């Protein structure tokens, strides 16, 4: 891509028009696309590289096709589309392997490793280390720099091991000091890491100086908003909050203009922290905006941070019920089982890499030692030489045997942790969804035409919670929700989540069923009976609550948000209407929409109770569920669920 860096857009367009053959034209299209991409014009870059890819396939030019796929991967990463970034890059890697292009392979392995770093996946190691090895063979300083910095980023940003990151950071600096073509660009990259370490060490003056120096070069590019946010973070650390506010507002605007929503959420979180002391309510508003954006974009790490900051803010202003709600969701995100797989895989892969390095060094030392011994002991008897060689072989066999035992033990530990992780995964996600996540690394969102959604809520819970200690409050809520879990499992329903004292579940997914509405009403009646039983039994030690339930049926979209600290969730107007049915219900009653009523009217006795206004839906009819008309169908539902 060296030509693209030197040529202008006009020059490249002119050369494309006069290109003598299609292979050259493909290369020029790729150069132009890369120039558009690095200058921040991703839309034009995508349109141009699509032309290059189409032409390369037409003329069967695999080198041009691989280059186009590489650029598509870079564009996808700038757009926060990690799935396509990895997908395009792997296609490019396959082509480079078929071509026997070692440099191309090293390039793509480094890029793929960087994309896996972004999503916190241990697979990053499987690509970065081979990239370094190939680059060392080629003596390609640029590629060694790239892969080594990616490895440093993985340990610093995702593994939270700054000491290990600094080792690789110093290795990259040593290559940078040798001087090479394109050194200026990598120097800017190195400065960014210097700033990161300065922020980590709370050396805010140094960090501010670094990021302000970088800012002119980043303006208009994909890292403009991130650099502004780092400046804001440095100013916040120096307690220059007013200046930090101004810079962070600019960072949010730049990210929004560039449609870099992950950067936008990160800037909003920091902005909320900066303004929290002088205006807590304004901070809450900012965090709530960030929460919506993080949830819709699937940015799970940022979502976790927003819930933590909302918890801290509500706690500071004395709104303890809201604080508890956000703290529970924060803990739910924080305890993701993927951390186990990441840590184990990284440590094991790094262990093998270090062992290979040490074995190479030992082998070289042994060779030198053998030569010296032969020179010094040339006159000694054959018997002594034979004994020495036998002893050396014995040591080698013992060493190999010990390494075999160590690897076998490590594999056993990893397999046990993998089995435990898979069991936990099935406890969090539907089995079909969990299998898709393991096979593909992501879960495609699915549309369901008809799903029944239920919300429950304890009446007067907030007031009651103010008289309880934290442990008692959690124990009481867990007592009810554990029984709710048993009830919905009985009818084959899917638990979605709990938020504070609210419980949400759905019927008719992940596998569609014809009687999902009936199953949901049976579960709701069991829940009402259980709550009444607890309230009427003064000897169980659990305080009695009253509950209200709302149910609605309609289409939803279901899927897993992100790939790290994920959560299975559903979206759509159906969810909002079900929530509105719950808020419009009464204590001890099940309130259903007209849509649900039309599905269950033959099996349940219901009472029409009027209309309620629902946002974006107008006035909707509601019905109270009274009882079951004919209980014979209950047995059929239970047998179907058990067989199912």
């Amino acid at each position: 891509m060296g030509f693209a860096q030197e040529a202008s857009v006009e020059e490249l367009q002119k050369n494309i028009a006069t290109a003598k053959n299609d292979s050259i034209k493909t290369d020029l299209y790729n150069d132009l696309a890369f120039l558009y991409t690095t200058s921040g014009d991703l839309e034009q870059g995508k349109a141009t590289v699509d032309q290059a890819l189409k032409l390369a396939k037409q003329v069967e030019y695999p080198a041009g096709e691989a280059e186009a796929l590489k650029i598509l991967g870079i564009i996808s990463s700038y757009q926060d589309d990690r799935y396509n970034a990895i997908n395009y890059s792997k296609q490019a890697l396959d082509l480079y392997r078929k071509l026997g292009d070692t440099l191309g392979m090293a390039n793509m392995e480094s890029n793929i490793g960087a994309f896996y770093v972004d999503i916190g996946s241990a697979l990053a190691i499987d690509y970065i280390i081979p990239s370094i090895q190939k680059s060392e063979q080629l003596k390609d300083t640029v590629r060694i720099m790239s892969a080594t910095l990616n490895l440093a980023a993985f340990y610093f940003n995702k593994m939270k091991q700054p000491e290990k990151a600094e080792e690789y950071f110093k290795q990259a600096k040593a290559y940078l000091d040798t001087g090479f073509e394109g050194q200026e660009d990598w120097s800017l990259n190195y400065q960014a890491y210097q700033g990161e370490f300065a922020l980590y060490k709370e050396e805010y003056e140094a960090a501010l100086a670094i990021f302000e120096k970088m800012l002119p070069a980043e303006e208009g590019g994909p890292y403009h908003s991130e650099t502004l946010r780092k400046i804001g973070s440095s100013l916040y650390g120096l307690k220059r909050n007013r200046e930090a506010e101004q810079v962070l507002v600019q960072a949010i605007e730049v990210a929004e203009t560039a449609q870099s929503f992950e950067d936008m959420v990160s800037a909003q979180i920091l902005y909320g922290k900066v303004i929290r002391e002088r205006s807590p309510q304004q901070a809450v508003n900012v965090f709530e905006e960030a929460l919506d954006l993080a949830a819709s974009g699937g940015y799970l790490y940022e979502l976790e941070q927003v819930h933590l900051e909302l918890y801290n803010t509500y706690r500071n202003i004395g709104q303890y019920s809201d604080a508890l709600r956000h703290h529970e969701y924060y803990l739910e995100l924080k305890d993701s089982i993927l951390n186990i797989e990441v840590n184990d895989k990284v440590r094991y892969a790094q262990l093998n890499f270090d062992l290979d390095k040490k074995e190479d060094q030992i082998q070289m030392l042994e060779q030198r030692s053998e030569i010296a011994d032969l020179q010094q002991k040339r006159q000694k008897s054959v018997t002594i030489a034979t004994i020495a060689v036998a002893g050396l072989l014995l040591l080698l066999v013992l060493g190999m045997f010990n390494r075999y035992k160590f690897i076998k033990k490590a594999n056993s530990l990893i397999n046990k942790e993998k089995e435990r992780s898979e069991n936990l995964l099935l406890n969090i996600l539907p089995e079909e969804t969990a299998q898709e996540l393991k096979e593909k690394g992501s879960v495609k969102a699915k549309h369901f035409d008809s799903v029944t959604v239920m919300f429950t809520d304890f009446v007067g819970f907030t007031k009651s919670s103010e008289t309880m200690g934290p442990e008692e409050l959690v124990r009481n809520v867990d007592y009810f929700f554990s029984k709710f879990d048993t009830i919905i499992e009985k009818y084959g329903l899917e638990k979605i989540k709990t938020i504070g004292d609210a419980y949400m579940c759905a019927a008719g997914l992940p596998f569609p069923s014809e009687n999902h509405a009936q199953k949901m009403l049976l579960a709701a009646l069991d829940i009402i009976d259980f709550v009444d039983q607890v309230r009427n039994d003064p000897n169980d030690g659990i305080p009695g609550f009253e509950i209200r339930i709302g149910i609605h049926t309609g289409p939803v979209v279901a899927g897993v948000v992100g790939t790290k600290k994920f959560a299975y969730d559903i979206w759509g107007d159906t969810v909002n209407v079900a929530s509105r049915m719950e808020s419009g219900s009464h204590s001890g009653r099940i309130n259903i929409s007209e849509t649900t009523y039309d599905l269950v009217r033959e099996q349940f006795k219901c009472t029409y109770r009027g209309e309620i206004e629902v946002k974006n839906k107008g006035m909707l009819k509601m019905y109270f569920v009274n009882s079951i008309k004919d209980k014979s169908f209950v047995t059929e539902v239970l047998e179907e669920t058990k067989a199912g």
Side-chain angles (χ1 to χ4, degrees):
M1 290 301 172
F3 180 71
Q5 294 171 352
E6 298 174 2
S8 66
V9 170
E10 292 78 11
E11 289 174 323
L12 287 169
Q13 290 174 336
K14 181 180 178 181
N15 290 334
I16 290 171
T18 58
K20 294 181 179 180
N21 62 61
D22 289 332
S23 296
I24 294 175
K25 183 178 288 188
T26 300
D27 291 337
L28 291 169
Y29 271 131
N30 280 327
D31 286 342
L32 182 58
F34 189 76
L35 184 59
Y36 280 130
T37 300
T38 54
S39 64
D41 191 348
L42 302 185
E43 183 176 348
Q44 194 63 46
K46 175 68 165 58
T48 306
V49 78
D50 283 344
Q51 290 179 286
L53 185 60
K54 181 179 179 180
L55 184 58
K57 289 181 177 180
Q58 285 178 350
V59 300
E60 297 182 355
Y61 179 37
E65 184 179 348
E67 200 71 24
L69 289 166
K70 179 181 83 170
I71 298 170
L72 280 170
I74 294 171
I75 292 172
S76 297
S77 74
Y78 285 164
Q79 294 173 330
D80 297 328
D81 184 358
R82 302 289 186 267
Y83 174 80
N84 278 320
I86 293 171
N87 184 37
Y88 286 130
S89 299
K90 285 186 175 180
Q91 291 180 50
L93 177 59
D94 288 341
L95 286 172
Y96 283 127
R97 283 173 176 163
K98 291 177 182 178
L99 291 168
D101 186 341
T102 304
L103 178 59
M105 287 187 281
N107 187 348
M108 296 321 304
E109 286 169 340
S110 178
N111 287 5
I112 295 170
F115 301 149
Y116 276 125
V117 166
D118 286 342
I119 62 174
S121 171
L123 291 173
I125 295 292
D126 293 341
Y127 290 92
I128 295 175
I129 290 177
S131 176
I132 294 175
Q133 293 170 335
K134 290 182 180 68
S135 302
E136 287 176 344
Q137 293 173 2
L138 296 169
K139 302 187 185 304
D140 184 347
T141 305
V142 173
R143 196 56 48 210
I144 295 171
M145 275 282 300
S146 172
T148 304
L149 285 175
N150 285 337
L151 201 54
F154 183 74
Y155 279 101
F156 183 70
N157 294 324
K158 300 302 178 184
M159 294 304 298
K160 308 302 180 186
Q161 296 181 19
E163 296 79 10
K164 190 72 175 177
E166 198 158 13
E167 292 179 19
Y168 291 108
F169 187 55
K170 289 178 179 177
Q171 292 180 26
K173 179 63 165 61
Y175 282 106
L176 185 65
D177 290 342
T178 62
F180 53 87
E181 186 178 352
Q183 182 180 14
E184 297 78 11
D185 294 333
W186 288 107
S187 179
L188 188 66
N189 207 340
Y190 177 79
Q191 288 178 45
Y193 278 97
Q194 279 188 312
E196 291 277 1
F197 273 97
L199 279 177
Y200 169 75
K201 296 174 182 178
E202 298 182 357
E203 298 171 357
Y204 299 116
E205 289 284 4
L208 180 62
I210 290 170
F211 290 121
E212 284 184 335
K213 182 180 178 182
M214 291 174 56
L215 186 59
E218 300 289 12
E219 287 184 3
Y223 302 110
H224 188 188
S225 175
E226 181 180 352
T227 304
L228 287 169
R229 174 164 52 84
K230 297 296 175 55
I231 292 173
S233 182
S234 303
L235 290 168
Y236 179 46
L238 293 169
K239 303 188 184 305
R240 293 160 60 178
N241 288 10
R242 287 294 185 180
E243 296 174 69
E245 286 182 32
Q246 295 174 0
V247 173
L248 290 170
V249 168
Q250 187 181 356
I252 294 170
E253 291 173 350
V254 169
E256 185 174 18
T257 301
Q259 294 189 327
S260 181
F261 298 117
E262 190 170 5
D263 283 338
M264 185 176 173
V265 172
S266 297
Q268 286 176 320
I269 294 172
L270 182 56
Y271 180 63
K273 291 170 66 175
V274 172
I275 66 174
R276 178 163 52 198
E277 185 175 346
R278 69 171 179 82
S279 181
Q281 188 54 53
Q282 185 183 354
V284 168
N285 295 338
V286 172
F287 288 138
E288 290 289 354
E289 290 179 12
L291 187 66
D292 291 340
L293 190 56
S296 63
Y299 311 130
L300 264 294
Y301 174 76
E302 288 76 10
L303 195 62
E304 173 197 350
Q305 295 304 305
V306 177
H307 280 293
L308 178 60
E309 295 308 329
L310 280 168
Y311 158 70
N312 289 329
T313 307
Y314 279 126
R315 185 186 59 179
N316 291 344
I317 61 179
Q319 294 182 217
Y320 298 111
S321 178
D322 289 325
L324 174 63
R325 177 165 53 89
H326 286 288
H327 193 255
E328 287 177 343
Y329 202 35
Y330 161 72
L331 292 177
E332 183 181 336
L333 290 167
K334 184 177 179 63
D335 292 338
S336 168
I337 62 168
L338 288 186
N339 285 337
I340 298 172
E341 293 182 343
V342 169
N343 285 325
D344 286 344
K345 185 170 180 62
V346 169
R347 290 179 184 137
Y348 187 67
Q350 183 62 44
L351 174 65
N352 281 336
F353 178 65
D354 291 340
L355 281 174
D356 290 341
K357 285 279 188 180
K358 289 177 181 177
E359 285 181 351
D360 289 341
Q361 295 172 358
I362 291 171
Q363 201 171 36
M364 290 178 63
L365 289 173
E366 287 177 347
Q367 290 173 351
R368 293 174 182 173
S369 176
E370 287 174 4
I371 293 172
D373 287 342
L374 288 172
Q375 290 175 340
Q376 294 174 4
K377 300 176 182 180
R378 189 173 297 172
Q379 304 302 320
K380 291 186 177 182
S381 67
V382 174
T383 302
I384 295 175
T386 303
I387 293 172
V389 171
L392 194 61
L393 287 173
L394 179 61
L395 288 174
L396 182 60
V397 169
L398 288 174
M400 292 176 65
F401 179 71
N402 287 335
R403 185 171 185 268
Y404 166 77
K405 290 198 301 180
F406 174 80
I407 292 175
K408 185 177 180 181
K409 183 177 179 181
N411 282 331
S412 176
L413 290 172
I414 289 173
N415 288 334
K416 288 180 180 179
E417 286 298 324
K418 182 179 179 181
E419 182 179 355
R420 185 167 72 92
S421 297
E422 289 180 351
N423 290 334
L424 286 172
L425 187 63
L426 291 175
N427 198 36
I428 293 173
L429 302 177
E431 184 175 356
E432 178 194 41
T433 304
Q435 188 64 31
E436 183 179 355
L437 180 65
K438 289 189 295 181
E439 292 177 355
K440 299 181 180 179
S442 63
V443 176
K444 185 178 180 180
K446 296 182 179 178
H447 177 82
F448 294 86
D449 292 327
S450 182
V451 169
T452 301
V453 179
M454 176 172 74
F455 280 87
T456 76
D457 187 55
F458 292 116
V459 179
F461 177 83
T462 301
K463 185 176 181 180
S464 300
S465 66
E466 293 174 355
T467 63
M468 299 180 189
E471 293 182 359
E472 181 185 7
L473 181 62
V474 173
R475 180 173 64 87
N476 292 338
V477 173
D478 180 69
Y479 178 81
F480 285 95
F481 285 174
S482 295
K483 181 61 176 179
F484 292 5
D485 289 346
T486 302
I487 291 171
I488 72 165
E489 184 177 3
K490 172 183 174 183
Y491 294 102
L493 311 182
E494 192 67 36
K495 178 180 179 181
I496 303 301
K497 60 187 172 184
T498 62
I499 304 176
D501 64 321
Y503 187 100
M504 177 185 175
C505 63
L509 58 77
F511 301 103
S513 62
E514 294 181 358
N515 58 356
H516 55 82
Q518 288 81 358
K519 288 183 178 181
M520 185 62 80
L521 263 64
L522 290 174
L525 288 170
D526 283 3
I527 288 173
I528 291 288
D529 290 342
F530 170 71
V531 173
D532 288 343
Q533 178 185 343
V534 173
R535 188 171 61 256
N536 296 325
D537 184 4
N539 299 319
D540 58 13
I542 300 296
F545 290 109
E546 292 188 341
I547 194 169
R548 63 177 178 233
I549 295 178
I551 297 174
H552 176 61
T553 303
V556 301
V557 173
V560 174
V561 183
T563 56
K564 184 171 184 288
K565 299 180 182 177
F566 50 81
Y568 184 78
D569 209 345
I570 59 177
W571 301 270
D573 286 341
T574 299
V575 177
N576 299 329
V577 174
S579 178
R580 191 70 180 93
M581 290 297 111
E582 179 272 324
S583 63
S585 186
H586 291 172
S587 299
R589 301 308 301 268
I590 303 168
N591 189 37
I592 65 175
S593 68
E594 183 180 21
T595 306
T596 305
Y597 170 74
D598 290 337
L599 295 173
V600 303
R601 61 196 305 171
E602 299 299 327
Q603 296 86 16
F604 295 85
K605 295 179 181 179
C606 302
T607 302
Y608 176 67
R609 56 181 303 250
E611 297 182 335
I612 189 171
E613 185 175 1
V614 178
K615 185 178 181 181
N616 297 328
K617 291 290 184 179
M619 303 301 293
L620 296 182
K621 293 180 179 180
M622 303 182 298
Y623 297 81
F624 275 148
V625 179
N626 297 323
S627 62
I628 302 172
K629 286 183 178 180
D630 181 6
K631 293 187 178 181
S632 62
F633 90 100
V634 177
T635 303
E636 297 176 3
V637 169
L638 291 174
E639 288 178 352
E640 177 190 332
T641 303
K642 186 176 181 180

